[in-house]
Amino acid sequence: MIDTLLSGDASSYDMWSRRNYLVATVGIAAVSGCTGDGGGEATEPTAGAETETEPTGTQEEGGETEEELPEGVSEDEFERGPVPDVYLSATSLGNETRNPDELNTKADVGFSEFDEAVENAAHQPGTCCANCADFVPDKNGDGFGACAEVEGYIGGEDWCTIYESLPEPSVPAGMSEDDLATAAVPEAYRTANSAGGEKRTPDDLLAQADVNLTESVEAIAEGTAMPGQSCGNCAEFIPDRNGDGWGACAKVEGYIAAEDWCSVWEHITEEL
């Protein structure tokens, strides 16, 4: 079962720092085979470079890998911005519009990588930027996203003290919670393209039970999912199109929420 390949000891989360995250997810995508707007007026300066290649690391003395930065992005730009234009006034997973002129610094919100965050008394098990309402997922293939409240580049496996959970959407009228896993999705989703550009085929979908669909916070806390994974940044996810808070998936049947996760998750970076 694919989820067996993805599962691991929660104590090994330190290997999933930003420095190694993209390398590891490439391997996961290879065995999983499936998965997970912005724009507006730019008041923040334009970033020096936008690239569709994954960042590469360099070796420090002693063999440690330095933090991997997108090509052409300096350490200061990574921490403070500017971010690429596509994120400047983008909409977050929780439908909050990013305002480049009203952002917190990373230092002010206790921003940290996941392995450091778990040592913070304010951190709740399984929480990370990928399942935060303020997160703007990767839009240009460099492996990083942004935040509606914090400046600079943001990785899905990061965390800060103003983390805001994504609430479960309300059950649509005329349905019960038990119906969500197998219900036919609204017409707007039935043959839609996913965030990674894959067309949904209603007659060729996996059951939610077969891919162990659950909330990403729970999956990360249990060690089934790795930090930084949720449907919101999965290449197969089809975001909410009708305002009810639910989305769909190009590979899995039923209603899907941005804060969910399943065992065939695939990072959107692989598809951009």
Side-chain angles (χ1 to χ4, degrees):
M1 194 68 179
I2 293 173
D3 54 316
T4 302
L5 294 171
L6 291 170
S7 63
D9 185 348
S11 66
S12 65
Y13 276 153
D14 57 339
M15 71 175 284
W16 286 88
S17 69
R18 185 187 297 123
R19 299 171 181 174
N20 301 304
Y21 177 65
L22 290 176
V23 175
T25 51
V26 170
I28 291 172
V31 298
S32 66
C34 176
T35 49
D37 158 44
E41 295 185 5
T43 55
E44 196 174 7
T46 302
E50 241 179 271
T51 177
E52 296 199 0
T53 59
E54 293 179 8
T56 55
T58 57
Q59 292 294 317
E60 294 177 318
E61 288 185 19
E64 277 191 31
T65 305
E66 291 182 352
E67 188 162 55
E68 299 176 18
L69 306 180
E71 185 178 346
V73 176
S74 69
E75 186 83 31
D76 186 63
E77 288 174 331
F78 187 85
E79 294 300 316
R80 303 192 59 186
V83 295
D85 289 350
V86 69
Y87 300 100
L88 290 181
S89 54
T91 302
S92 72
L93 292 176
N95 292 318
E96 182 172 346
T97 301
R98 185 177 186 272
N99 184 341
D101 296 325
E102 297 180 1
L103 299 173
N104 298 293
T105 68
K106 289 182 178 180
D108 286 344
V109 296
F111 187 88
S112 63
E113 295 180 9
F114 191 85
D115 55 337
E116 299 169 343
V118 296
E119 303 297 327
N120 191 312
H123 181 266
Q124 297 298 311
T127 59
C128 62
C129 292
N131 51 42
C132 175
D134 292 324
F135 185 57
V136 182
D138 182 15
K139 291 178 177 289
N140 65 351
D142 66 4
F144 296 96
C147 178
E149 298 290 345
V150 180
E151 64 186 13
Y153 288 65
I154 308 291
E157 72 282 10
D158 297 327
W159 177 86
C160 79
T161 57
I162 60 171
Y163 170 90
E164 182 181 348
S165 62
L166 278 160
E168 182 77 8
S170 300
V171 176
M175 297 175 58
S176 70
E177 189 167 351
D178 291 339
D179 295 330
L180 294 171
T182 58
V185 296
E187 186 65 34
Y189 301 92
R190 290 181 188 172
T191 57
N193 288 333
S194 71
E198 181 160 355
K199 187 173 183 178
R200 186 177 187 272
T201 304
D203 297 327
D204 187 23
L205 299 172
L206 299 165
Q208 291 189 11
D210 289 343
V211 296
N212 296 330
L213 188 98
T214 186
E215 292 187 10
S216 63
V217 170
E218 295 179 5
I220 294 170
E222 293 168 358
T224 307
M226 293 299 177
Q229 298 180 354
S230 75
C231 290
N233 64 357
C234 175
E236 304 297 350
F237 185 58
I238 303 169
D240 180 16
R241 293 188 172 195
N242 62 358
D244 65 2
W246 292 99
C249 178
K251 292 294 184 184
V252 180
E253 66 182 3
Y255 283 65
I256 308 290
E259 72 272 19
D260 290 338
W261 174 90
C262 83
S263 61
V264 290
W265 179 91
E266 182 177 348
H267 198 294
I268 192 169
T269 295
E270 299 307 308
E271 301 297 331
L272 290 177

